[in-house]
Amino acid sequence: MMAETKAASVAAEEGRSKTVVLVAVDDSDHSYRALEWAMRYVAEMAGAGAPTELVIVHAKPSPSPVVTMGGPGVSGDVVRLVEADLRKKAEGVVDRARRLCVANSVQGVVEVVDGEPRHVLCNAVEKHHADLLVVGSHGYGAIKRALLGSVSDYCAHHAHCSVMIVKQPKSKN
């Protein structure tokens, strides 16, 4: 696989002793598919004797954009409730990611960072000197992508490393 070979060779060229694989997770099946791919890759690299570090990042949105949709008269209680809900969701995402790592005998560093996912991920790539960023694809069509934006598309163009976009396999009907 091209991304795998490039990630390992970039780390070697820069004289680093390990390859850093960063994977984005949220509460979607798409992101857990990406995490599973990343864990298989890290396990293969380790099995081949190449030290590899797995960094799992969850971008937790701040409550302000969510709350401002409710209008200017939103109370502090609503902000606290939204923040608590976002925190609880982040804890669930992190817990599931950790359980997947344990089940696959892969060690990973897990981080929760407040912010817009596309910026959080590109910043995390820089912070961890990642060689490979793994993201899931929601499989949006052109119209939804144009309206909602695509984190994977943004990262493919702005992250300073190779980006693996893990897509859902097509059904075999």
Side-chain angles (χ1 to χ4, degrees), residues 147-169:
L147 291 172
L148 299 175
S150 169
V151 172
S152 58
D153 186 59
Y154 181 90
C155 291
H157 289 91
H158 294 90
H160 296 290
C161 68
S162 295
V163 177
M164 169 61 78
I165 301 171
V166 179
K167 296 183 176 185
Q168 181 172 349

Side-chain angles (χ1 to χ4, degrees), residues 48-80:
T52 308
E53 180 181 1
L54 178 65
V55 179
I56 302 165
V57 177
H58 172 66
K60 182 176 79 61
S62 70
S64 57
V66 176
V67 172
T68 55
M69 292 173 150
V74 176
S75 74
D77 290 340
V78 172
V79 173
R80 283 189 289 282

Side-chain angles (χ1 to χ4, degrees), residues 8-41:
S9 66
V10 167
E13 286 172 18
E14 294 179 358
R16 289 185 279 139
S17 59
K18 64 183 172 192
T19 300
V20 179
V21 177
L22 194 139
V23 62
V25 294
D26 58 20
D27 60 346
S28 71
D29 289 339
H30 308 284
S31 74
Y32 291 110
R33 193 172 297 107
L35 176 57
E36 289 168 356
W37 185 94
M39 287 187 297
R40 281 194 307 274
Y41 172 67

